[in-house]
Each structure stands twice: as structure tokens, then as C-alpha cells.
Amino acid sequence: PEKWKGRSYDWVVYAPVAWSAKSIDPVNMNAVGPFEHQRLDSPRYRHWLGTDQYGRDVAAGLVSGARVSLSVGLLSMVLAGLIGLILGSLAGYFGDQGLCLTLAELGIPLAGVCMGLFGTISLLAVPADLFGSEWLKCLALPAYLALWLALSYGCVRLVHQFKWARGSITIPADLLIMRLIEVFQSIPVLLFILSLLALFTTSSLLSIALIIGFVRWTTIARFVRAELLRIRELEYMDSARASGLTHWRILIGHALPNAMTPVLITLAFGVASAILAEASLSFLGIGVPQDTVTWGGLLQSARADVSAWWLALFPGAFIFLTVLSFNLIGEGLRKRDNR
């Protein structure tokens, strides 16, 4: 900026990458390589990893793409972890005979969940500008779901006053949830994601993360179920039941905390697979919005010019190293659990 020219200072530290992800260099367009001649006003503005067809700096795009990829991976695994924990714990702890609910406890929460999912899809279709930012939109979704759950709980307490709603019914939780897992796993993941993306008029970082998380919960649920099938037969679980604790208190306070290690391992591997899924969608041009720079988007730009090797090498290397890192974290957690 001009105001710095009139100021006196001893020294200054410049950023190693002088460009932003969306900045366009009009004199170095059409994919200029990192070792090719670049027309620059100063060496400080050199594109160290080259530019793409639009004159955007590849190094800045890799830094910005890391935020997108990690955000998608972590957000999607948070959703997948919640769904997997809830359904896996119901299937593993209660089995086919242990979950008995009244008509009010069964019907009203189901209606609340359906209305919550409908509202969630509707909120995802609303532009983020109406919320102020994408992150405020992220906060609006759990707030909406929490409101519906609170209303459902209040309705259950109210309807319990009537005798007709007190009749209990046994839910084969293990059978129903395992069949649901088999249905999800029978559909190809990429085809399933593409089908869900067709529900939205515009794709965003949040919608991509939620869709990937909605598809990836099955592995977590299977691990939680397997752990709880083992844990519920241990002696300390018999002691907890003999002390008069309710099933829900035993499940949340004693069973689930001891089944979290396999979940953490699965989450580590799941983040890596979610990053690959987002890169695949961006490579196909159907992921996050086109103005958002991602690793998969940089790989897609390499298709237009096969001689621009840096557009394929550097994003591919970043994807490889990130996925390898999360896989190593998961492998380390697995070895620690086996000791």
C-alpha cells in the first residue's frame, strides 16, 4: 500500500506467498510454471508453484484449499460420529428385546426427527447471505434441531398424561438398524452423494460436509455396536444394573465411554476418506462453489492443459500427504488400543 512508502522502519517480514487464493495476475496467465520466466515487478511477487489458466497463484490455492478440505473432513465426521454413536449404541446395548417404548415415546420423537430433517434440508437451500456468513448458518442448523428435540420431549411429557399413550411396544433396534446399515452400504458412495446433491439448488461447504457425513456414518455405527455387544456382558455392567441404575444412565455414563476408542480410530480414517470424497467432487466440478479454491478444483484445472504438470503434482501431493497423515493417526490409535 502507498501509506507504507512514507513511513520509516528498520526491517519488515513479508509473507512467503504474496498472493491470495482469489487474486489474479493478468501478466502471468495461461498456466505459467514455477521454473518458467515470470513477468514480475519484484521477486517478492514470484509464483513459487506457478499459476493456473486464470493467473491464480497455486501456492495460495493450496493453502486456501487446506482450510476447505479439513473443514469438510472434520464437519462431516462430527455428523457421522453423532449418527453412528446414537444408532450403534441403540443396536448394541438394547439388541432386539431390550428397547421398550411407549406409543408417545416412539411416535412423537419420530415425527420431530422427520420435521427436523425437513427443516435442515430447507435451511441448507437458503443462501448463506441471509444468515450473514456460512458459519452463522452452521450454528442455525443445530439450534433448529435442538428446538425440535425440546418440543418433542415436551410433547412426550404432555401426552403421557393420557392412558392410551402409555402402552409399551418392543422395538427390534438391532434388526432395524443393521438392515438400515446394509441399505446404506449397498449404494455406491459417490452415486449416493450425487443423488443427495441434486436436492440442493446450490452447493456450499456446509452442504457438502453434511451430505458426506450423512453417508459415512455406517462404519462408526458398526464399530460401536460391536463394542457394546461385548461391554454389556461384562461384570461391572451387571453391577450397575443391580444397583438400580436406568438403562439410559448405564448406557451414557458407563457403556459409551468405554466404547469410544474404536470410534476415535474410525473417525481418523473417516476424515481421510471425507477429504478424498470432497476432492473427487471438486475434480468433477460438482463440489463446493466454483469461486472457492480447493485441491480437487486445482486438479480439475490440470485437465485443460496436460502440459501444466504443476497443477496436478502439487495438489495431488497435498492430498496424498494429508490422507496419509490421518491414516497414520488412525493406525497409531489402533496399535495403542491393541496393547
Side-chain angles (χ1 to χ4, degrees):
E2 294 294 332
K3 64 179 182 178
W4 287 102
K5 294 183 179 180
R7 296 175 181 260
S8 60
Y9 50 87
D10 295 329
W11 53 274
V12 64
V13 177
Y14 292 107
V17 181
W19 302 87
S20 67
K22 297 183 180 180
S23 298
I24 295 177
D25 186 359
V27 298
N28 291 292
M29 301 179 69
N30 299 323
V32 179
F35 305 115
E36 298 178 7
H37 173 70
Q38 299 178 7
R39 292 178 290 173
L40 304 168
D41 296 332
S42 170
R44 184 167 68 89
Y45 297 104
R46 182 171 182 82
H47 304 281
W48 299 107
L49 299 183
T51 63
D52 61 5
Q53 291 85 352
Y54 306 103
R56 297 178 299 187
D57 187 79
V58 175
L62 292 177
V63 175
S64 177
R67 178 183 63 86
V68 175
S69 297
L70 292 177
S71 298
V72 169
L74 295 176
L75 285 175
S76 61
M77 284 302 104
V78 168
L79 176 63
L82 290 175
I83 299 176
L85 279 175
I86 294 173
L87 296 182
S89 59
L90 292 177
Y93 182 80
F94 292 103
D96 288 334
Q97 303 295 330
L99 184 60
C100 295
L101 299 175
T102 63
L103 296 177
E105 291 173 341
L106 177 62
I108 296 177
L110 282 178
V113 169
C114 293
M115 291 298 296
L117 291 177
F118 176 77
T120 300
I121 295 175
S122 301
L123 281 176
L124 288 176
V126 176
D129 297 339
L130 297 179
F131 293 90
S133 68
E134 188 74 24
W135 295 109
L136 290 178
K137 186 177 178 179
C138 292
L139 296 176
L141 290 174
Y144 178 82
L145 292 177
L147 175 62
W148 270 111
L149 289 177
L151 290 175
S152 300
Y153 178 77
C155 292
V156 169
R157 303 296 298 178
L158 180 63
V159 174
H160 261 170
Q161 306 300 322
F162 302 98
K163 292 183 179 181
W164 60 267
R166 298 176 186 175
S168 62
I169 182 173
T170 301
I171 308 298
D174 191 22
L175 176 66
L176 294 176
I177 293 173
M178 288 306 297
R179 297 295 83 77
L180 181 63
I181 291 175
E182 292 173 1
V183 170
F184 268 72
Q185 291 185 334
S186 65
I187 305 174
V189 174
L190 186 58
L191 180 61
F192 199 3
I193 294 175
L194 293 178
S195 301
L196 294 177
L197 278 175
L199 298 175
F200 305 101
T201 56
T202 58
S203 60
S204 63
L205 177 65
L206 179 60
S207 62
I208 295 295
L210 293 182
I211 288 173
I212 294 176
F214 181 73
V215 174
R216 297 283 185 176
W217 61 270
T218 55
T219 303
I220 299 174
R222 289 174 61 247
F223 273 103
V224 173
R225 172 184 176 272
E227 278 294 301
L228 288 182
L229 286 175
R230 179 185 64 86
I231 290 174
R232 72 179 186 180
E233 303 298 334
L234 298 179
E235 294 181 357
Y236 76 90
M237 298 295 291
D238 294 333
S239 301
R241 285 189 285 266
S243 64
L245 297 178
T246 62
H247 288 296
W248 296 107
R249 187 172 179 181
I250 295 173
L251 174 61
I252 298 174
H254 299 278
L256 272 182
N258 292 290
M260 288 302 296
T261 302
V263 175
L264 296 177
I265 297 172
T266 309
L267 287 176
F269 287 112
V271 171
S273 62
I275 291 174
L276 283 176
E278 184 277 326
S280 301
L281 293 174
S282 298
F283 178 76
L284 296 174
I286 53 177
V288 296
Q290 294 295 328
D291 58 345
T292 303
V293 181
T294 62
W295 292 343
L298 291 174
L299 284 175
Q300 184 193 30
S301 63
R303 299 169 57 189
D305 187 0
V306 294
S307 62
W309 54 269
W310 57 92
L311 295 178
L313 175 62
F314 297 120
F318 268 61
I319 294 173
F320 170 76
L321 292 176
T322 304
V323 172
L324 178 63
S325 300
F326 280 102
N327 284 336
L328 290 177
I329 292 173
E331 191 65 29
L333 291 173
R334 176 183 296 174
K335 290 181 179 179
R336 183 179 179 180
D337 183 48
N338 291 334
R339 292 178 181 177

mmCIF file of all heavy atoms in Angstrom, residues 118-147:
data_model
loop_
_atom_site.group_PDB
_atom_site.id
_atom_site.type_symbol
_atom_site.label_atom_id
_atom_site.label_comp_id
_atom_site.label_asym_id
_atom_site.label_seq_id
_atom_site.Cartn_x
_atom_site.Cartn_y
_atom_site.Cartn_z
ATOM 1 N N PHE A 118 -36.501 -32.304 7.601
ATOM 2 C CA PHE A 118 -37.107 -31.463 6.566
ATOM 3 C C PHE A 118 -36.664 -30.009 6.714
ATOM 4 O O PHE A 118 -36.334 -29.334 5.728
ATOM 5 C CB PHE A 118 -38.628 -31.560 6.652
ATOM 6 C CG PHE A 118 -39.352 -30.657 5.691
ATOM 7 C CD1 PHE A 118 -39.454 -30.977 4.348
ATOM 8 C CD2 PHE A 118 -39.920 -29.461 6.134
ATOM 9 C CE1 PHE A 118 -40.115 -30.136 3.459
ATOM 10 C CE2 PHE A 118 -40.579 -28.618 5.259
ATOM 11 C CZ PHE A 118 -40.672 -28.961 3.915
ATOM 12 N N GLY A 119 -36.646 -29.518 7.952
ATOM 13 C CA GLY A 119 -36.196 -28.152 8.175
ATOM 14 C C GLY A 119 -34.724 -27.970 7.876
ATOM 15 O O GLY A 119 -34.306 -26.914 7.388
ATOM 16 N N THR A 120 -33.922 -28.994 8.161
ATOM 17 C CA THR A 120 -32.488 -28.910 7.869
ATOM 18 C C THR A 120 -32.244 -28.790 6.377
ATOM 19 O O THR A 120 -31.432 -27.971 5.923
ATOM 20 C CB THR A 120 -31.769 -30.152 8.423
ATOM 21 O OG1 THR A 120 -31.962 -30.216 9.842
ATOM 22 C CG2 THR A 120 -30.281 -30.083 8.132
ATOM 23 N N ILE A 121 -32.940 -29.608 5.591
ATOM 24 C CA ILE A 121 -32.793 -29.530 4.136
ATOM 25 C C ILE A 121 -33.249 -28.168 3.630
ATOM 26 O O ILE A 121 -32.635 -27.579 2.735
ATOM 27 C CB ILE A 121 -33.580 -30.669 3.468
ATOM 28 C CG1 ILE A 121 -32.979 -32.032 3.862
ATOM 29 C CG2 ILE A 121 -33.568 -30.522 1.953
ATOM 30 C CD1 ILE A 121 -33.753 -33.213 3.353
ATOM 31 N N SER A 122 -34.319 -27.651 4.216
ATOM 32 C CA SER A 122 -34.801 -26.329 3.799
ATOM 33 C C SER A 122 -33.793 -25.242 4.138
ATOM 34 O O SER A 122 -33.547 -24.331 3.344
ATOM 35 C CB SER A 122 -36.143 -26.026 4.469
ATOM 36 O OG SER A 122 -37.105 -27.008 4.140
ATOM 37 N N LEU A 123 -33.157 -25.336 5.315
ATOM 38 C CA LEU A 123 -32.158 -24.338 5.703
ATOM 39 C C LEU A 123 -30.927 -24.408 4.814
ATOM 40 O O LEU A 123 -30.313 -23.387 4.500
ATOM 41 C CB LEU A 123 -31.756 -24.539 7.165
ATOM 42 C CG LEU A 123 -32.716 -24.010 8.230
ATOM 43 C CD1 LEU A 123 -32.224 -24.365 9.616
ATOM 44 C CD2 LEU A 123 -32.877 -22.505 8.106
ATOM 45 N N LEU A 124 -30.559 -25.616 4.403
ATOM 46 C CA LEU A 124 -29.388 -25.750 3.529
ATOM 47 C C LEU A 124 -29.625 -25.091 2.181
ATOM 48 O O LEU A 124 -28.679 -24.626 1.533
ATOM 49 C CB LEU A 124 -29.050 -27.229 3.335
ATOM 50 C CG LEU A 124 -28.449 -27.945 4.549
ATOM 51 C CD1 LEU A 124 -28.260 -29.424 4.251
ATOM 52 C CD2 LEU A 124 -27.137 -27.323 4.950
ATOM 53 N N ALA A 125 -30.871 -25.064 1.742
ATOM 54 C CA ALA A 125 -31.172 -24.443 0.450
ATOM 55 C C ALA A 125 -31.212 -22.925 0.525
ATOM 56 O O ALA A 125 -31.198 -22.252 -0.508
ATOM 57 C CB ALA A 125 -32.508 -24.969 -0.089
ATOM 58 N N VAL A 126 -31.246 -22.367 1.743
ATOM 59 C CA VAL A 126 -31.275 -20.910 1.902
ATOM 60 C C VAL A 126 -29.868 -20.362 1.717
ATOM 61 O O VAL A 126 -28.911 -20.916 2.268
ATOM 62 C CB VAL A 126 -31.824 -20.536 3.299
ATOM 63 C CG1 VAL A 126 -31.760 -19.034 3.516
ATOM 64 C CG2 VAL A 126 -33.244 -21.035 3.445
ATOM 65 N N PRO A 127 -29.671 -19.291 0.956
ATOM 66 C CA PRO A 127 -28.328 -18.721 0.782
ATOM 67 C C PRO A 127 -27.736 -18.273 2.106
ATOM 68 O O PRO A 127 -28.439 -17.793 3.002
ATOM 69 C CB PRO A 127 -28.562 -17.528 -0.169
ATOM 70 C CG PRO A 127 -29.854 -17.838 -0.858
ATOM 71 C CD PRO A 127 -30.677 -18.600 0.130
ATOM 72 N N ALA A 128 -26.414 -18.443 2.223
ATOM 73 C CA ALA A 128 -25.733 -18.070 3.471
ATOM 74 C C ALA A 128 -25.752 -16.568 3.709
ATOM 75 O O ALA A 128 -25.579 -16.123 4.842
ATOM 76 C CB ALA A 128 -24.286 -18.578 3.442
ATOM 77 N N ASP A 129 -25.981 -15.773 2.667
ATOM 78 C CA ASP A 129 -26.009 -14.309 2.833
ATOM 79 C C ASP A 129 -27.130 -13.867 3.766
ATOM 80 O O ASP A 129 -27.009 -12.848 4.457
ATOM 81 C CB ASP A 129 -26.167 -13.633 1.477
ATOM 82 C CG ASP A 129 -24.982 -13.907 0.554
ATOM 83 O OD1 ASP A 129 -23.916 -14.256 1.091
ATOM 84 O OD2 ASP A 129 -25.145 -13.789 -0.679
ATOM 85 N N LEU A 130 -28.219 -14.619 3.804
ATOM 86 C CA LEU A 130 -29.328 -14.253 4.679
ATOM 87 C C LEU A 130 -28.979 -14.442 6.154
ATOM 88 O O LEU A 130 -29.591 -13.819 7.014
ATOM 89 C CB LEU A 130 -30.572 -15.087 4.333
ATOM 90 C CG LEU A 130 -31.143 -14.879 2.919
ATOM 91 C CD1 LEU A 130 -32.348 -15.778 2.715
ATOM 92 C CD2 LEU A 130 -31.513 -13.413 2.701
ATOM 93 N N PHE A 131 -27.990 -15.314 6.440
ATOM 94 C CA PHE A 131 -27.544 -15.521 7.814
ATOM 95 C C PHE A 131 -26.364 -14.620 8.177
ATOM 96 O O PHE A 131 -25.987 -14.545 9.340
ATOM 97 C CB PHE A 131 -27.135 -16.980 8.022
ATOM 98 C CG PHE A 131 -28.280 -17.942 7.927
ATOM 99 C CD1 PHE A 131 -28.630 -18.518 6.717
ATOM 100 C CD2 PHE A 131 -29.018 -18.277 9.049
ATOM 101 C CE1 PHE A 131 -29.680 -19.414 6.615
ATOM 102 C CE2 PHE A 131 -30.075 -19.162 8.972
ATOM 103 C CZ PHE A 131 -30.404 -19.735 7.752
ATOM 104 N N GLY A 132 -25.756 -13.995 7.201
ATOM 105 C CA GLY A 132 -24.588 -13.152 7.452
ATOM 106 C C GLY A 132 -23.298 -13.810 7.037
ATOM 107 O O GLY A 132 -22.401 -13.163 6.510
ATOM 108 N N SER A 133 -23.161 -15.119 7.272
ATOM 109 C CA SER A 133 -21.957 -15.857 6.891
ATOM 110 C C SER A 133 -22.281 -17.345 6.904
ATOM 111 O O SER A 133 -23.317 -17.778 7.431
ATOM 112 C CB SER A 133 -20.782 -15.568 7.841
ATOM 113 O OG SER A 133 -21.036 -16.091 9.133
ATOM 114 N N GLU A 134 -21.371 -18.123 6.360
ATOM 115 C CA GLU A 134 -21.551 -19.576 6.316
ATOM 116 C C GLU A 134 -21.525 -20.184 7.711
ATOM 117 O O GLU A 134 -22.227 -21.150 8.012
ATOM 118 C CB GLU A 134 -20.449 -20.190 5.449
ATOM 119 C CG GLU A 134 -20.625 -21.675 5.167
ATOM 120 C CD GLU A 134 -21.723 -21.948 4.154
ATOM 121 O OE1 GLU A 134 -22.041 -21.055 3.353
ATOM 122 O OE2 GLU A 134 -22.250 -23.070 4.165
ATOM 123 N N TRP A 135 -20.695 -19.613 8.609
ATOM 124 C CA TRP A 135 -20.565 -20.184 9.949
ATOM 125 C C TRP A 135 -21.801 -19.902 10.795
ATOM 126 O O TRP A 135 -22.185 -20.725 11.630
ATOM 127 C CB TRP A 135 -19.305 -19.637 10.615
ATOM 128 C CG TRP A 135 -18.071 -20.067 9.908
ATOM 129 C CD1 TRP A 135 -17.233 -19.305 9.148
ATOM 130 C CD2 TRP A 135 -17.549 -21.394 9.843
ATOM 131 N NE1 TRP A 135 -16.221 -20.075 8.624
ATOM 132 C CE2 TRP A 135 -16.382 -21.358 9.034
ATOM 133 C CE3 TRP A 135 -17.944 -22.614 10.389
ATOM 134 C CZ2 TRP A 135 -15.624 -22.487 8.759
ATOM 135 C CZ3 TRP A 135 -17.176 -23.741 10.113
ATOM 136 C CH2 TRP A 135 -16.031 -23.665 9.310
ATOM 137 N N LEU A 136 -22.436 -18.733 10.604
ATOM 138 C CA LEU A 136 -23.701 -18.495 11.302
ATOM 139 C C LEU A 136 -24.781 -19.451 10.819
ATOM 140 O O LEU A 136 -25.642 -19.873 11.594
ATOM 141 C CB LEU A 136 -24.140 -17.044 11.089
ATOM 142 C CG LEU A 136 -23.308 -15.972 11.788
ATOM 143 C CD1 LEU A 136 -23.824 -14.588 11.446
ATOM 144 C CD2 LEU A 136 -23.314 -16.190 13.299
ATOM 145 N N LYS A 137 -24.714 -19.810 9.557
ATOM 146 C CA LYS A 137 -25.642 -20.807 9.038
ATOM 147 C C LYS A 137 -25.374 -22.170 9.681
ATOM 148 O O LYS A 137 -26.311 -22.923 9.958
ATOM 149 C CB LYS A 137 -25.502 -20.887 7.523
ATOM 150 C CG LYS A 137 -26.507 -21.796 6.844
ATOM 151 C CD LYS A 137 -26.340 -21.751 5.339
ATOM 152 C CE LYS A 137 -27.322 -22.690 4.647
ATOM 153 N NZ LYS A 137 -27.184 -22.636 3.182
ATOM 154 N N CYS A 138 -24.099 -22.472 9.927
ATOM 155 C CA CYS A 138 -23.755 -23.722 10.620
ATOM 156 C C CYS A 138 -24.346 -23.755 12.025
ATOM 157 O O CYS A 138 -24.796 -24.799 12.500
ATOM 158 C CB CYS A 138 -22.237 -23.884 10.698
ATOM 159 S SG CYS A 138 -21.429 -24.168 9.116
ATOM 160 N N LEU A 139 -24.333 -22.607 12.715
ATOM 161 C CA LEU A 139 -24.890 -22.552 14.058
ATOM 162 C C LEU A 139 -26.411 -22.630 14.053
ATOM 163 O O LEU A 139 -27.016 -23.093 15.027
ATOM 164 C CB LEU A 139 -24.442 -21.259 14.753
ATOM 165 C CG LEU A 139 -22.939 -21.115 15.007
ATOM 166 C CD1 LEU A 139 -22.634 -19.747 15.615
ATOM 167 C CD2 LEU A 139 -22.433 -22.220 15.914
ATOM 168 N N ALA A 140 -27.040 -22.172 12.971
ATOM 169 C CA ALA A 140 -28.500 -22.201 12.907
ATOM 170 C C ALA A 140 -29.034 -23.622 12.805
ATOM 171 O O ALA A 140 -30.128 -23.919 13.320
ATOM 172 C CB ALA A 140 -28.991 -21.373 11.720
ATOM 173 N N LEU A 141 -28.283 -24.531 12.173
ATOM 174 C CA LEU A 141 -28.762 -25.902 11.997
ATOM 175 C C LEU A 141 -28.882 -26.652 13.317
ATOM 176 O O LEU A 141 -29.950 -27.200 13.621
ATOM 177 C CB LEU A 141 -27.840 -26.639 11.024
ATOM 178 C CG LEU A 141 -27.919 -26.171 9.571
ATOM 179 C CD1 LEU A 141 -26.862 -26.868 8.732
ATOM 180 C CD2 LEU A 141 -29.297 -26.441 8.996
ATOM 181 N N PRO A 142 -27.822 -26.736 14.158
ATOM 182 C CA PRO A 142 -28.012 -27.434 15.443
ATOM 183 C C PRO A 142 -29.017 -26.746 16.354
ATOM 184 O O PRO A 142 -29.700 -27.409 17.137
ATOM 185 C CB PRO A 142 -26.603 -27.436 16.053
ATOM 186 C CG PRO A 142 -25.864 -26.347 15.365
ATOM 187 C CD PRO A 142 -26.433 -26.295 13.982
ATOM 188 N N ALA A 143 -29.113 -25.409 16.268
ATOM 189 C CA ALA A 143 -30.113 -24.714 17.076
ATOM 190 C C ALA A 143 -31.521 -25.131 16.662
ATOM 191 O O ALA A 143 -32.398 -25.336 17.515
ATOM 192 C CB ALA A 143 -29.928 -23.201 16.936
ATOM 193 N N TYR A 144 -31.742 -25.277 15.356
ATOM 194 C CA TYR A 144 -33.052 -25.698 14.866
ATOM 195 C C TYR A 144 -33.362 -27.123 15.320
ATOM 196 O O TYR A 144 -34.472 -27.416 15.791
ATOM 197 C CB TYR A 144 -33.078 -25.590 13.345
ATOM 198 C CG TYR A 144 -34.363 -26.055 12.707
ATOM 199 C CD1 TYR A 144 -35.475 -25.229 12.646
ATOM 200 C CD2 TYR A 144 -34.464 -27.335 12.171
ATOM 201 C CE1 TYR A 144 -36.657 -25.656 12.074
ATOM 202 C CE2 TYR A 144 -35.638 -27.778 11.598
ATOM 203 C CZ TYR A 144 -36.738 -26.938 11.552
ATOM 204 O OH TYR A 144 -37.893 -27.378 10.984
ATOM 205 N N LEU A 145 -32.392 -28.016 15.207
ATOM 206 C CA LEU A 145 -32.613 -29.400 15.624
ATOM 207 C C LEU A 145 -32.834 -29.493 17.130
ATOM 208 O O LEU A 145 -33.664 -30.281 17.604
ATOM 209 C CB LEU A 145 -31.409 -30.257 15.205
ATOM 210 C CG LEU A 145 -31.231 -30.461 13.704
ATOM 211 C CD1 LEU A 145 -29.960 -31.257 13.432
ATOM 212 C CD2 LEU A 145 -32.427 -31.167 13.102
ATOM 213 N N ALA A 146 -32.068 -28.715 17.916
ATOM 214 C CA ALA A 146 -32.255 -28.731 19.368
ATOM 215 C C ALA A 146 -33.650 -28.235 19.738
ATOM 216 O O ALA A 146 -34.282 -28.751 20.679
ATOM 217 C CB ALA A 146 -31.187 -27.867 20.035
ATOM 218 N N LEU A 147 -34.153 -27.246 19.011
ATOM 219 C CA LEU A 147 -35.504 -26.747 19.267
ATOM 220 C C LEU A 147 -36.541 -27.826 19.019
ATOM 221 O O LEU A 147 -37.462 -28.018 19.835
ATOM 222 C CB LEU A 147 -35.775 -25.530 18.383
ATOM 223 C CG LEU A 147 -37.202 -24.950 18.448
ATOM 224 C CD1 LEU A 147 -37.507 -24.449 19.860
ATOM 225 C CD2 LEU A 147 -37.362 -23.834 17.433
#
